[in-house]
Amino acid sequence: MSYKRLWIVFGLVVGLSFAVLGYFGREIYRQAPPVPARVVGADGAVLFTGQDIKDGQNVWQSTGGQELGSVWGHGAYVAPDWSADWLHREAEVMLNAWSRAEHGVDADRLDVETRAALEARLQAELRSNSYDAGSGDLRLSAARVAAVRAVADHYRGLFGGDPAQADLREAYAMREATVIGPERLHDLTAFFFWASWVCVTERPGDDITYTNNWPPDNLVGNRPTGSLILWTGFSVILLIAGIALLAWYYAANREEGFDPNILPERDPLLALSPTASMKATLKYFWVVTALIVVQVVLGAVTAHYGVEGNGFYGLDLSAVLPYSLSRTWHVQLAIFWIATSWLATGLFIGPAVSGHEPRFQRLGVNVLFGALLIVVAGSLAGQWFGIMQRLGLVGNFWFGHQGYEYVDLGRLWQVLLLVGLFLWLGLMVAALRPALRRADQNRPLLVMLVISCVAIAGFYGAGLMWGRQTNLAIAEYWRWWVVHLWVEGFFEVFATVVIAFLFVRLGLLKVKTATAATLFSTNVFLAGGIIGTFHHLYFTGTPTAVLALGATFSALEVVPLVLMGFEAYHNLTLSRAKPWLEAYKWPIYCFIAVAFWNLVGAGVFGFLINPPIALYYMQGLNTTPVHGHTALFGVYGMLGIGLMLFVLKGLAARRIWKDGVIRFAFWAINIGLAAMVLISVLPVGLAQTMASVRDGLWHARSAEFLQQDYLQTLRWLRVIGDTIFAVGTLALAWFVIGLKTGWSVRGGTDLPAPGAAATPRGD
């Protein structure tokens, strides 16, 4: 069978998509919001220098950065969005100062017409761009200088441990002294001022701000632009058209009714004899299991900080494990254990597919394992020292906390992880090389596997493209290369190919069918997924063209997800086709769960927030973790668990698993995930969205709003889903440990001795 057309499409999709991504990346560099050399008042007094702003960005990163509140909507959800919060506070100070000076009362006591006149003056002053590119100076009026100083005083007290702001810090889940030293506090306020200035200042020659009028705030004149409305409508139309075309393609090319008689009568993997390197992958899955448990515990602690501020059921944890650190570890460990499971599966699959065990392959697998442990332990320790303010700004960048969500680890650990990924790539290529040399029907699928491996190793390198003091708009561009293209992009391609190999190895799919389906799925996914990276960058100081492209192509990302129900049904049918497939029931059920959460978490909840007008009001609200939890754990986490279970079965194919504990674990994890989202996180997010539309994002993220009794109750209700989920993960760990100790298996084998009857399955 020729796959020439599919390969041509693949080449065009990847080549053209990255050309677009690169071209508009250059535009992001060119049009990034400027960092002024000086911020000066009307009297010539210098408030901040450009170096203060850059150092302040590093101070912010040392506190946990996007793990403590957010800037431009990206980050955590308990503390405010600092850019929106600063902006509104500054505007209120100016408005009230004018009102008291001219009318003797605060602005909220003025009649509508008088207040409207003052607001119009306020908006004109805040939105005008007074940055002089020639001198590098940003000039502020006397009224604005006074407002900036007042808000800076508030922030210095908040981050510096002022006892008068203890209650507010508790509401924000902040340490008592989040930042230590007057110089660092001064620089932090410089950065927050700049981040808010970007949000309200119009681009030269334009009537929209650097952040496309985000955040929503009527007081400063930040309202949705026409582009937001236009491209939202276009994205919906494109989504409908894409779904129709894909449904037509599926109907025209679907296979006839599934015939179980073509499947093998016995398990093909029973004849598999694991090589030394394949057996060496077992310890990876022990670590995966341990990290899952720790990550879930940290998730419970992090969620609880939302209702108890600095404690955990009365126990004061913030002194040693503050919210920003627990959330950092929770997010980072998720990436670590999911990636470890997938990489270890690749190391297991390589020799199994090629039938070749390269020289020193086992040694390479063991060295890589040690390297991963060093990166995990070193980065976690460095983040503790960074957030506890034990490192200088340069030391924090290299060894501590970079402050960017999902890539929080210090630069040294990033470099070591990149080296480890290239070591993994070398091991994969060495194992697959003999099979690649064979010109048989497996070769196209193997080529796609190698391409995905190269991409996994290479695209993590995007995390090295920003420096310690790179403009935040540019750093965000590269960060999403890692988060979207590496995690959500090429890892997904890798997973698609690996699952195809597993099903082919089991005799459930023909090689030709698997290859064609994999190439087609990859083309459809990458067609929207590569340029769709821009949907994360609508409001991060990027030009309007990025918004248009992100809206258009992120809609295409959703298109293949609407047919996930067919994939789930197909996998369920396969799992019941032959008696011997009962042994693979739970890995296959995990793949079914992946299809479900792809449809719901990545599809429904993803498109809930992705259209520009929706994200304009929802960015930085609890609607984002609805998508994050159901997509990251529901899709990638369940896939990692499924791959782990598949490999564990392959390492001991003749041992019959007891069904009770793993059944409970599977259902508890999925039911718990659904409960935590539907009972708690989604209702809180929708309530915030209404507040954001009505009053502005600053209010939806404020302590005043979030500390209301009904929202506190909704957050407490999360305990229901979290408990079910946590118990499910503990059951999974118990089951995996039991595969070694014996309590998860029972007597008998999957393959009886010649002439003997098969041992009946069951507990």
Side-chain angles (χ1 to χ4, degrees), residues 504-546:
V504 168
R505 192 71 177 80
L506 285 172
L508 304 180
L509 283 178
K510 296 178 180 178
V511 175
K512 294 180 180 179
T513 302
T515 302
T518 298
L519 279 169
F520 177 76
S521 299
T522 298
N523 289 339
V524 172
F525 178 76
L526 293 182
I530 295 175
I531 302 177
T533 304
F534 283 148
H535 81 254
H536 299 286
L537 303 174
Y538 293 159
F539 313 120
T540 58
T542 55
T544 304
V546 168

Side-chain angles (χ1 to χ4, degrees), residues 667-689:
W667 289 111
I669 288 172
N670 284 280
I671 291 172
L673 179 59
M676 80 166 71
V677 167
L678 296 177
I679 296 175
S680 177
V681 185
L682 181 59
V684 171
L686 294 177
Q688 286 183 294
T689 301

Side-chain angles (χ1 to χ4, degrees), residues 10 126 168 185 298 311 316 327 345 356 389 391 466 588 653:
F10 175 77
L126 289 178
L168 194 56
L185 287 168
L298 287 167
D316 183 13
R327 190 179 191 275
T345 300
H356 171 67
Q389 302 289 284
L391 298 173
W466 65 79
I588 293 176

